[in-house]
Amino acid sequence: MPGARRCVGARAPLSRSRLEHAVSTEPEPTEETEPGTRGAAPEPEGTEEAPVQEADGAGGGEAGTAESAGGGAGESVSEEPGADAGEDGDSTGVDADSVEKARLSEAEAELAAQRIERERIARRKAEKQGPVASGAKLSGKAADLLAAVRAVESGAKPVAAVFSEPEPPRRPAQEPVRPRPVSAEALGAGGSVGAPAPGAVEAVRRVLAEGGAPEALAAQVAAVLGEGADDQLRADPWQLLRVTGVRPEQADGFARALLGAECAPDDERRGRAVTVWLLEQAALAGHTVLEMPALVTALAQRGVPDADAAVQSTIAEAEALVFQDALDPAAPEPEDDEEGAERPVRILVGLERYALAEESLADGLARLINSVPKEDGSAADWERAAGSAEGSAAELIRAAAAGGLVLHTGGEASLTEPAALLMAARGLGLRAWAATHSPLGRDRFGALLDEAATHAPGPHAPDRQVATVAGLLSGAEGPGRDADGAFDLDLLVVLDAPQLDVETAALLVESLPDGARLVLGGDPAVLWSAGPGRVFADLLAARICPQVASRRPDPGPLGELVSGIGIGELNQVEAPGKEVVIVPVRDAGEAVHRTVQLVADSVPRAIGVPAEET
């Protein structure tokens, strides 16, 4: 579309500029910020380290401090490349520790976990009997928090890793993230273990043994590479990087053992494999694309001599896609007769799987926004339904009546508002459904609907009409699909929407019929999606549709304070136990003075911890 990303060889993924140009509605005022694409920021000036970061600030942790336990997913790209192929032969493949961990059975792991828990309980009992090191009688969560702070200060715990996201949100997620069903095709692409033939596994095992790699990886390699996996490994030993947990230096050792003198750091096969590996690590941290400069820098740090050529080779082999994203979406296209005129763009690189999912999601959202909602009663009927609701629930009903896409933000207490919307829609004869990410959330929201139905006048649906996202997509739950394959409904409310990754969101939107309404609701401060992409946060930043912020506070003084801050208000809340204390100041200088006073005197005196340990 004009003004959106241009893709070489494929369609363009989702970005703020793409959404704004795809939607032919009245533009809303936006902040003057860089488009919120899931890309990477330019490397910081004046430093030698250049972590791969996200354009909107995600992934801005201090790279190079530690490796995550995810088998290299959080490994720093700013470390010196110590795995140049063709150099010292002391790297002999995947380390023995990771192999030993892979061999642990569930029973052994359970016993180990029980042993650790018993030791922790014993330590806690001993701590309660003896004095606290700080001089205070701390126990429970306070003692755990103090121990965690000391662990970070002493260097026993890492602070950040490569591709890490910003610090965790101020509140935990209301519902745990549950794994969703994954297709066989997705399993193959993601590197999960399938059920390869015994003969294929044995052939791969022989190649692994020849290259000095652990034979325990044979089943994984055979499942990931598919038919002829042994021949693929011999032809390109760096294909071992496609197995989850294998790092570039380990694949380099395997390649040196197999190829001997033919192994070199500038091998095209190595450059392509490391490029795909870096994009996969970025996807694990939520990024669907990376900026070209950041990707080239990361490749250079991994010992790839010609990083630009490696990226171009990866694109030429269709293992990655390249896009052009306009830096200024509002700028007009240059005229054909303007000699040398070019629109400023940034170059993004991503894996096809996630890029096409973003493209599909952008097209589907534009279709919903631009389609006219189905006939479902007069405007007066919707207004009567809104008039019978309270506060921001009425605002949500009016927004859903007028458009095909609405965003709703709020905490646990705000769930009563989408419940009121569902009841109003059913009263108007709409086929309205809600979807949550977990069975627990489904049951809790269903109970809330039952309570709302008992107080609602007029007829209401005999059942709860709430499903899980996974059950809705698979057909195991929900209204089913019509003759065209779309969901047989008029309104879908997706709760805990921050947990939607880009692929799941694309499937949901693609399944909605023309004229249907979609309401995405949730708390933007909770944990985001486990998969690539933060759809809800990107849509909030794009401002392409109505947004309704709940004014219903969560229970308790802290919930009331956080709810107020969420809508831009700092309210004086009732806190008899002094759970919340608001300290007024006149200017920035007094704010600094009062903060120092609180940290150095007031807080230590209140909780019994010396100021140097606060």
Side-chain angles (χ1 to χ4, degrees):
M1 293 186 180
R5 291 182 183 169
R6 298 176 182 173
C7 172
V8 178
R11 295 180 296 173
L14 173 69
S15 68
R16 186 187 303 182
S17 61
R18 166 150 184 79
L19 285 171
E20 289 172 345
H21 284 268
V23 179
S24 58
T25 56
E26 179 80 14
E28 298 187 19
T30 59
E31 299 178 359
E32 295 183 3
T33 57
E34 185 177 352
T37 312
R38 312 226 34 93
E43 60 181 281
E45 298 180 0
T47 62
E48 295 180 359
E49 299 181 350
V52 178
Q53 296 179 348
E54 194 176 5
D56 56 8
E62 296 177 9
T65 58
E67 294 180 6
S68 74
E75 184 182 348
S76 171
V77 298
S78 60
E79 63 182 335
E80 292 298 327
D84 291 358
E87 294 184 357
D88 297 337
D90 53 347
S91 179
T92 57
V94 182
D95 52 41
D97 290 341
S98 60
V99 176
E100 189 62 26
K101 292 177 182 177
R103 291 177 178 173
L104 283 176
S105 65
E106 291 186 3
E108 291 171 334
E110 179 65 24
L111 291 174
Q114 292 178 5
R115 183 170 61 255
I116 292 173
E117 182 66 16
R118 288 196 296 270
E119 293 174 355
R120 188 186 68 81
I121 294 174
R123 287 197 304 270
R124 290 285 298 278
K125 289 181 178 179
E127 290 173 358
K128 289 183 178 181
Q129 294 174 357
V132 180
S134 64
K137 295 291 184 180
L138 298 180
S139 62
K141 291 183 178 181
D144 293 341
L145 178 60
L146 181 59
V149 173
R150 288 175 175 169
V152 172
E153 291 176 342
S154 64
K157 295 289 185 181
V159 181
V162 68
F163 298 125
S164 61
E165 295 286 353
E167 61 180 344
R170 62 181 180 266
R171 284 184 280 173
Q174 297 168 1
E175 296 294 341
V177 178
R178 302 297 177 90
R180 60 183 178 86
V182 184
S183 64
E185 180 181 356
L187 284 175
S192 300
V193 178
V201 175
E202 183 59 33
V204 171
R205 184 177 286 110
R206 289 194 295 268
V207 179
L208 293 175
E210 186 178 342
E215 300 179 19
L217 294 175
Q220 279 184 282
V221 174
V224 171
L225 299 183
E227 186 177 357
D230 56 328
D231 294 333
Q232 294 183 52
L233 271 185
R234 289 189 186 279
D236 184 358
W238 287 282
Q239 290 294 308
L240 189 65
L241 271 177
R242 294 187 179 274
V243 177
T244 302
V246 178
R247 299 191 299 273
E249 59 267 25
Q250 298 166 337
D252 287 337
F254 177 68
R256 282 195 290 269
L258 280 184
L259 301 179
E262 298 179 7
C263 183
D266 59 352
D267 194 305
E268 280 190 4
R269 296 169 294 183
R270 180 177 188 269
R272 289 196 300 269
V274 176
T275 301
V276 173
W277 181 81
L278 285 171
L279 293 174
E280 287 283 3
Q281 304 314 301
L284 289 176
H287 315 317
T288 53
V289 291
L290 295 177
E291 285 193 27
M292 179 71 81
L295 180 58
V296 168
T297 300
L299 284 168
Q301 292 169 344
R302 289 289 169 188
V304 178
D306 193 344
D308 288 300
V311 176
Q312 296 302 326
S313 176
T314 307
I315 295 170
E317 294 293 327
E319 296 187 66
L321 302 178
V322 62
F323 308 94
Q324 294 181 0
D325 191 31
L327 291 177
D328 184 7
E333 291 278 1
E335 299 294 338
D336 294 337
D337 55 357
E338 294 183 21
E339 184 177 355
E342 292 185 0
R343 191 177 189 184
V345 297
R346 60 175 176 172
I347 307 300
L348 304 172
V349 183
L351 297 175
E352 180 181 24
R353 171 182 174 184
Y354 306 124
L356 295 185
E358 284 198 328
E359 168 71 9
S360 174
L361 176 58
D363 289 344
L365 291 173
R367 174 177 59 87
L368 288 179
I369 294 175
N370 292 326
S371 62
V372 179
K374 294 180 179 178
E375 293 294 335
D376 42 38
S378 65
D381 294 333
W382 279 103
E383 186 57 36
R384 277 195 296 271
S388 62
E390 298 179 356
S392 45
E395 185 181 354
L396 179 62
I397 293 174
R398 291 188 179 98
L405 177 64
V406 178
L407 305 181
H408 176 253
T409 59
E412 179 73 16
S414 69
L415 290 177
T416 57
E417 295 170 5
L421 170 62
L422 285 172
M423 297 303 301
R426 292 173 188 173
L428 294 174
L430 271 70
R431 299 164 297 173
W433 278 79
T436 68
H437 276 269
S438 68
L440 177 61
R442 175 194 60 197
D443 296 340
R444 290 169 60 186
F445 189 71
L448 189 62
L449 284 177
D450 290 342
E451 181 180 355
T454 58
H455 299 89
H460 56 82
D463 58 350
R464 295 177 173 181
Q465 293 180 261
V466 185
T468 62
V469 171
L472 190 65
L473 290 173
S474 66
E477 304 176 58
R481 296 179 182 261
D482 59 21
D484 296 327
F487 290 144
D488 195 12
L489 50 75
D490 303 310
L491 169 66
L492 177 62
V493 178
V494 180
L495 307 174
D496 41 273
Q499 297 181 31
L500 281 176
D501 60 68
V502 66
E503 291 183 297
T504 304
L507 289 174
L508 277 175
V509 173
E510 286 176 349
S511 300
L512 289 173
D514 291 341
R517 294 175 172 88
L518 174 63
V519 176
L520 299 177
D523 187 348
V526 302
L527 295 176
W528 44 83
S529 63
R534 285 196 276 169
V535 174
F536 193 60
D538 287 346
L539 288 175
L540 287 172
R543 299 181 181 274
I544 59 169
C545 63
Q547 300 181 17
V548 179
S550 174
R551 306 182 67 86
R552 185 182 297 272
D554 285 343
L558 185 59
E560 183 178 351
L561 176 70
V562 171
S563 299
I565 293 174
I567 60 174
E569 298 177 359
L570 180 61
N571 302 316
Q572 187 70 45
V573 299
E574 295 292 333
K578 294 192 179 298
E579 301 91 339
V580 174
V581 178
I582 297 177
V583 181
V585 296
R586 288 185 295 270
D587 51 38
E590 186 179 356
V592 172
H593 172 74
R594 294 289 286 146
T595 301
V596 172
Q597 183 183 50
L598 287 169
V599 174
D601 180 43
S602 303
V603 173
R605 185 173 64 251
I607 66 176
V609 176
E612 60 270 15
E613 298 181 6
T614 300

